[in-house]
Amino acid sequence: MAAIRICAVDDLNENEAVRVEIDGVAIALVKDSSGECFAIGDTCTHGDISLAEGFVEADTLECWAHGSKFSLLTGKPLTLPAYEPVPVYELSIVDGDVYIDPTSTKEIE
């Protein structure tokens, strides 16, 4: 599948996450304080909670329910109780618009 246009970068608020769904795949789209955008799986691996409802701080997204923080770069949980990572999706910015390919995840070691 090709990347799909989600929105303009300017439509996103800094330090906030937005839940988007592409072909049944729930993704948390985040714009951090430096204006960089990230796309990670929207479901907390601990409690089946939408991460987009959580808190953005630096390069992490924290689940509001139990406090697990996930790296926006790798998807790895940085705090308990979550211990399984969430996927990180390929994201590109073209002419000021955000594109995500929900079938393409980044391989992070």
Side-chain angles (χ1 to χ4, degrees):
M1 169 182 282
I4 296 173
R5 182 190 178 278
I6 304 301
C7 63
V9 173
D10 291 342
D11 291 340
L12 300 171
N13 295 323
E14 288 184 359
N15 291 323
E16 287 186 12
V18 176
R19 183 182 190 274
V20 297
E21 191 169 317
I22 306 169
D23 291 334
V25 178
I27 297 172
L29 175 58
V30 177
K31 182 177 177 183
D32 70 10
S33 61
S34 68
E36 189 170 357
C37 295
F38 302 89
I40 68 171
D42 183 50
T43 305
C44 178
T45 56
H46 169 255
D48 198 28
I49 303 291
S50 172
L51 290 174
E53 296 176 18
F55 312 100
V56 177
E57 183 177 326
D59 62 352
T60 66
L61 180 55
E62 180 180 346
C63 179
W64 64 268
H66 300 109
S68 290
K69 287 185 180 183
F70 293 86
S71 167
L72 293 172
L73 301 169
T74 66
K76 292 180 180 177
L78 303 174
T79 60
L80 294 174
Y83 58 89
E84 292 291 325
V86 294
V88 176
Y89 296 94
E90 293 290 341
L91 177 145
S92 58
I93 308 292
V94 179
D95 295 329
D97 292 332
V98 177
Y99 288 81
I100 298 173
D101 184 346
T103 63
S104 181
T105 56
K106 293 182 181 180
E107 293 296 322
I108 305 295
E109 294 180 20

